Amino acid sequence: MAELSKGVARGGEFELVQADLVLSTGRVVGLKASIINLTLFEDIFQYTLTGQIVIQDAMSLASTGPIIGQEYLKLKLKTPTVGEPDRIIDYSENAFMVTSLDLREPTSGGSQVSILSFCSREFAMNQRSVVNRTLTGSYSDIVERMLRKDLDSHKTFYKEPSAESKKIIAPNIDPFSVISIAESRALSKKHSDPTYLFFENLRGFNFRTLGHLYSRTPMLNYSQYPAGQKTNRKGSIDIMKNIQNLEEYTISSSPDTIYNHSAGVYASHMIVHDIFSKSYENYTYNYIDNFFNERHVDSFGSKPIFPLANVLPINPAGDDIADHPAKQYLQPTTGKSFDNSVQDNSSQTPFTPHNPQKSMQIRNAHMQMMNTALQVNIDVLGTTVIAAGDIVECNIPFSGTYTTTQNEVFDRLYKGRFLIKAIRHDFNPAENQHTMSMNLCKDNFLEPLEAPEENYEPKSKRSKGTVTETWDDIGF
């Protein structure tokens, strides 16, 4: 990342190369001098990008244009000195679609401020498309077909190949619904990982598993630097320390035991019923037993990892927190090796069936864990070199009135590798300032927790009894 600091005067600088609004009438209006603020949102749990742009509308463009929600916004931004195509926010060809004019507010001097919402063109394409045909191939190939043909997208597509040949009969559903089916059922070809996500970040569209995202090298290392440490020996600004400095942070989430029980994060039980053989099988998922067979944020780091729960027994029987499968599933299937419900043109059954026992419980546990994992929201100076789905290092300072015997510098839990779940980019052209608000998460500890053998859930030894009460309908 050393090239990031060359030729940059300060952290958060950006270059607005292009900002053009293409009206429904065909007229092109340059907005570079009119933008007050530009916001972009990317999220690994959202299929496309969205955003808002605030402009100083001196010529009443909203009325004279007019702006009616059928416009296109061509954008191109970059961090100075970064010239790689995938490090530039370039929507000059694959333009955003303006969906609505949210606000028109008059200001002094006869001008007005207008706020426009926009999204990726593929989102609008999805809303007006219907898929009504049979789709065959691997789930990753089906997703690519949806993206290229039905959504007519020419953007870069990062695809992790999935296993097995499948057949989907799409009954008048939109392309994103087909993608959702593939996303929830696909297993990666190399690792049999069921945690696929389909999302768009600033580099393009992605169909990747969490394991694939976790395996990548951290892009930046965020920490909190005192003011005196953000300059180098010559007294000039240390650009890398400024970019990687935590301006603000908030611990936003930690494991929620009640949610994790009810959502099946800790444990679940599933009955799979084969509707052809009229048989069924039982499957039980245990988070703690499966932990080291699955991939987590720090699985590819240099330190040992541990479950995001204490493995101590919670009762004299020796049960731990994952020994009670409160979440129940009942799923049908149409065969073990071949899908008996569909045939090819030769009346053969070459397609593999939906095998929920291979994916559903593991996938659900990981997806739900993302809601209650260790999460931190950070505000930092912006750069175009990172995107949602990247891995970063982040070390939250230790905070406490009293020091410990270990003299920790960083928080015991919120340190090390994190996955970027979401980013809000804010661009202020007047101040030439790009800032980012990021939601980071991780699903493992880096240190084991003490697990005393007889630290059971506390309860009274004797029952307090039952009080039975009745009441009379006096006066009726």
Side-chain angles (χ1 to χ4, degrees), residues 3 78-79 81-89 384-385:
E3 80 279 6
K78 67 178 184 177
T79 300
T81 77
V82 177
E84 296 89 341
D86 65 345
R87 299 291 189 259
I88 298 174
I89 302 176
T384 57
V385 303

Side-chain angles (χ1 to χ4, degrees), residues 90-157:
D90 189 356
Y91 287 82
S92 56
E93 294 182 355
N94 297 303
F96 288 111
M97 177 173 281
V98 175
T99 58
S100 63
L101 175 62
D102 297 332
L103 178 69
R104 290 174 61 184
E105 187 172 296
T107 60
S108 59
S111 183
Q112 62 182 345
V113 171
S114 297
I115 301 178
L116 285 68
S117 290
F118 58 86
C119 66
S120 296
R121 174 177 166 272
E122 291 79 3
F123 185 36
M125 286 290 294
N126 179 74
Q127 299 305 102
R128 59 175 183 246
S129 300
V130 173
V131 184
N132 183 19
R133 65 183 188 274
T134 299
L135 304 161
T136 60
S138 68
Y139 280 133
S140 57
D141 290 340
I142 291 173
V143 169
E144 184 173 14
R145 214 172 306 151
M146 288 294 101
L147 185 64
R148 296 304 187 203
K149 182 176 180 180
D150 294 80
L151 297 176
D152 192 28
S153 178
H154 295 173
K155 296 175 183 175
T156 304
F157 180 44

